[in-house]
Amino acid sequence: MAKPTVKPRWADDGGTVTEPSEGKKDIGWVSNERPYFGWFNWLHRIVYDWIDWFDSTASAPTVQKFTSGSGTYTRPSGVKYIRVQMVGGGAGGSGSGTSGTSSGGQAGNSSTFGSSLLAANGGSIAVAVYRAGAGGTASLGSGPIGIALSGGIGQDGGSTSLSTVYVNGGSGAASVFGGAGNGSLGPSAGGDGAANTGAGGGGGGNNQTANVIAGNGGSAGGYVDAIIINPSSTYPYVVGSGGAGGGAGVGGGAGGNGGSGVIIVTEYYV
């Protein structure tokens, strides 16, 4: 529905405007009553005044976006509530190679807002070079309302005893913001998770080498989407970095780095 172009202007330039008594406001109109015209003018006028005030004071939401490091969020004047969307860093994908020669991807780091008020933890370290760890957890402290979701789990890597086939590295897990790193085919490195998505990095693939284990994809960071009513004037924040990809082993490729986290604060004035 489009915004109306005409306001319900009434009795704003002279005329009789009489506010009813508190007792009359309590009971309103009664059966067979012929209300005084000044009361009707007052009722229409006060509705118009409120609509005019909302129209003149309404402001479009503003946004502050934090993409790395730590600092202090400062609430602009006039903000009534804020929406905070945040994701932790994604885990790195594992490298591939013959048994014991490659290394697993590292865990992503946590994003926080208001210390422990809101937390989106990073994707977990790989259980093994072929097995992804858990997605990052998330939590809401007392006061904010919203959701806290764990991140997705990266795809596990495969293996082969043959020297005539390629084995793909596992794909990283996408976050709410997308950005998953692709698993590589051949000895190239897995793809990095996209910056500021908290997605996992891709696992390294193999180079037609017997007994190679392909790397798993990294898991995604946890996600928070929360409303804070009557927010404090400042909040400390930390944006989680992505985990490093694992190193390549014999006949394999390195894992991709996990995507860094992000914090997006949308500010509402009415």
Side-chain angles (χ1 to χ4, degrees), residues 155-250:
Q155 183 182 31
D156 290 342
S159 63
T160 181
S161 60
L162 303 175
S163 60
T164 56
V165 298
Y166 290 105
V167 179
N168 280 15
S171 296
S175 76
V176 170
F177 300 112
N182 62 289
S184 71
L185 176 62
S188 58
D192 293 338
N196 303 129
T197 66
N206 82 324
N207 187 27
Q208 290 185 309
T209 301
N211 301 315
V212 160
I213 300 172
N216 66 271
S219 296
Y223 173 73
V224 167
D225 190 343
I227 297 292
I228 301 175
I229 300 171
N230 297 322
S232 299
S233 58
T234 61
Y235 292 96
Y237 72 85
V238 176
V239 178
S241 56
V250 175

Side-chain angles (χ1 to χ4, degrees), residues 10 17 40-52:
W10 191 263
V17 178
F40 268 115
N41 284 343
W42 176 85
L43 182 61
H44 286 294
R45 171 66 183 273
I46 199 69
V47 170
Y48 166 68
D49 285 346
W50 272 105
I51 291 174
D52 190 52

Side-chain angles (χ1 to χ4, degrees), residues 51-251:
I51 291 174
D52 190 52
W53 180 83
F54 276 114
D55 187 55
S56 63
T57 59
S59 298
T62 53
V63 176
Q64 295 190 50
K65 184 176 180 180
F66 306 104
T67 58
S68 64
S70 61
T72 300
Y73 164 80
T74 300
R75 183 204 69 216
S77 176
V79 169
K80 305 301 183 185
Y81 66 97
I82 58 175
R83 178 189 182 189
V84 183
Q85 297 168 277
M86 54 191 286
V87 66
S94 294
S96 64
T98 56
S99 181
T101 64
S102 60
S103 58
Q106 298 301 298
N109 294 286
S110 299
S111 295
T112 59
F113 187 84
S115 298
S116 59
L117 182 65
L118 303 175
N121 298 312
S124 299
I125 191 170
V127 176
V129 294
Y130 58 88
R131 179 64 54 83
T137 57
S139 62
L140 303 179
S142 176
I145 55 176
I147 58 173
L149 303 175
S150 294
I153 298 174
Q155 183 182 31
D156 290 342
S159 63
T160 181
S161 60
L162 303 175
S163 60
T164 56
V165 298
Y166 290 105
V167 179
N168 280 15
S171 296
S175 76
V176 170
F177 300 112
N182 62 289
S184 71
L185 176 62
S188 58
D192 293 338
N196 303 129
T197 66
N206 82 324
N207 187 27
Q208 290 185 309
T209 301
N211 301 315
V212 160
I213 300 172
N216 66 271
S219 296
Y223 173 73
V224 167
D225 190 343
I227 297 292
I228 301 175
I229 300 171
N230 297 322
S232 299
S233 58
T234 61
Y235 292 96
Y237 72 85
V238 176
V239 178
S241 56
V250 175

